[in-house]
Amino acid sequence: MVTKINIKNYSILFLTLSLVAISGVINHYTSKPILKISKQDSAFNINKELISIVFASQKMLIADTYWIATLLESDLKHYKDRDLNSWMFHRFDTIIHLDPWFYKAYLFGGQYLDIVKDDLEGAKYIYKKGLKKYPDDYQLLFNAGFLFAIELKDYNFAIPIYERLIKNPQAPQYFVTLLHKMKYENKDLTLEDTYKSLLNLFETLDESTFLYSKVKADLYRIKAEIDTNCLNTNGSGCSKLDFNGDPYFQEDGTWTSKEKITPYGIYKKD
């Protein structure tokens, strides 16, 4: 004879099994939302000073371990803030704190922060540290120069870099013209002084070289800008011939040159 207690127990068991079966069917046929947590939010970084104390006798080993782990975990997401708080910056900063002569951390860490992560402030910090340790390294100078001159427009720091670069045989010849543009943008040279300096350089160059044609184009551009500004403001003693000896002419009441020019300086994005 089935008691009331047994019936109740069987009912609970049946209900439980039914609910388990239903939940299994629902779980099988229902797509679950994907939970995504960015590396910036999930990365774990330990204070570099603490690591330096705890592993005082094994700093280089820990730096190497951190380097490998960072490369394996690296992500491609841009870091838009300019607060030196990206997780990869903290990793590279810890590595060079543990091993101040870790060349690859300066070179590739700076490149990764600059190009991949878009963390310009982080790259700036790493390159500055690297150039203190390796002041004449061509690759560091080349990459840091691009960051400071083109991306950050920090000519005060970029100019000394390019003054070293133009002395290196590996550097592209046109760097000397870029250096003149930076000095002009930084108001170290006037347009007239820039013209004189480039003209002195031009007179020493072989006509068959790329640098000759590059400097000639800059000289044309500078002279045309100086001369047309003079003519359009009714100045005195204005030259009426461009660098190639062709005359300037008026177009819609404005003096202009045969070759169309833009104001001299470093190209700026809109």
Side-chain angles (χ1 to χ4, degrees):
M1 179 178 179
V2 181
T3 64
K4 290 184 178 181
I5 294 177
N6 288 336
I7 294 175
K8 184 178 180 180
N9 290 339
Y10 288 139
S11 299
I12 293 173
L13 178 61
F14 176 76
L15 180 60
T16 302
L17 294 174
S18 299
L19 291 174
V20 170
I22 292 170
S23 64
V25 172
I26 293 173
N27 181 66
H28 181 74
Y29 289 101
T30 303
S31 59
K32 293 168 283 298
I34 299 174
L35 182 61
K36 290 185 177 180
I37 301 176
S38 69
K39 189 63 183 177
Q40 179 65 26
D41 294 326
S42 64
F44 182 69
N45 287 303
I46 304 173
N47 182 277
K48 62 184 181 182
E49 300 291 348
L50 178 61
I51 294 178
S52 183
I53 294 171
V54 174
F55 297 99
S57 62
Q58 298 177 313
K59 289 183 180 180
M60 295 182 68
L61 174 62
I62 300 303
D64 288 339
T65 303
Y66 250 64
W67 174 253
I68 295 170
T70 301
L71 295 182
L72 291 174
E73 297 173 18
S74 59
D75 67 346
L76 304 177
K77 189 174 182 180
H78 284 188
Y79 186 76
K80 297 299 182 182
D81 295 329
R82 298 291 182 251
D83 57 2
L84 294 179
N85 199 38
S86 74
W87 78 272
M88 288 197 74
F89 164 73
H90 282 298
R91 288 288 183 87
F92 294 131
D93 186 33
T94 298
I95 291 167
I96 62 177
H97 180 76
L98 293 170
D99 183 0
W101 294 97
F102 202 128
Y103 174 72
K104 289 184 178 180
Y106 295 119
L107 179 62
F108 299 115
Q111 283 182 292
Y112 202 94
L113 291 172
D114 177 12
I115 300 169
V116 180
K117 297 294 289 181
D118 196 31
D119 182 2
L120 303 186
E121 288 300 317
K124 173 181 174 180
Y125 179 95
I126 296 297
Y127 279 138
K128 280 188 172 183
K129 288 272 191 178
L131 288 174
K132 287 181 180 179
K133 294 297 181 183
Y134 301 96
D136 298 313
D137 182 79
Y138 175 73
Q139 289 298 331
L140 270 178
L141 287 168
F142 185 95
N143 294 331
F146 179 84
L147 172 68
F148 285 99
I150 307 303
E151 298 189 84
L152 294 175
K153 304 291 187 294
D154 184 350
Y155 302 127
N156 284 325
F157 201 81
I159 287 171
I161 289 177
Y162 279 89
E163 286 177 335
R164 277 182 274 173
L165 276 171
I166 62 173
K167 297 175 184 178
N168 192 305
Q170 292 179 265
Q173 291 184 330
Y174 73 86
F175 274 8
V176 69
T177 63
L178 180 57
L179 179 58
H180 277 78
K181 289 178 182 177
M182 284 190 286
K183 288 184 174 181
Y184 170 68
E185 295 278 8
N186 206 42
K187 304 189 186 313
D188 295 342
L189 293 175
T190 64
L191 203 56
E192 290 76 13
D193 290 337
T194 304
Y195 182 81
K196 291 176 184 177
S197 178
L198 284 173
L199 186 59
N200 289 335
L201 173 63
F202 181 73
E203 291 171 349
T204 67
L205 299 175
D206 187 331
E207 293 184 22
S208 63
T209 63
F210 169 76
L211 186 57
Y212 178 92
S213 59
K214 186 75 175 69
V215 173
K216 183 178 180 181
D218 281 351
L219 286 169
Y220 182 97
R221 184 177 173 188
I222 295 170
K223 187 176 190 304
E225 186 174 344
I226 293 172
D227 294 343
T228 55
N229 284 342
C230 181
L231 291 166
N232 287 320
T233 56
N234 298 316
S236 59
C238 306
S239 173
K240 293 188 176 181
L241 297 177
D242 64 22
F243 189 75
N244 295 330
D246 296 317
Y248 299 113
F249 60 94
Q250 285 188 306
E251 186 175 83
D252 298 327
T254 301
W255 286 96
T256 188
S257 57
K258 182 178 179 181
E259 296 181 19
K260 298 301 179 183
I261 62 167
T262 55
Y264 179 75
I266 294 177
Y267 172 75
K268 298 178 179 62
K269 294 180 180 180
D270 296 333

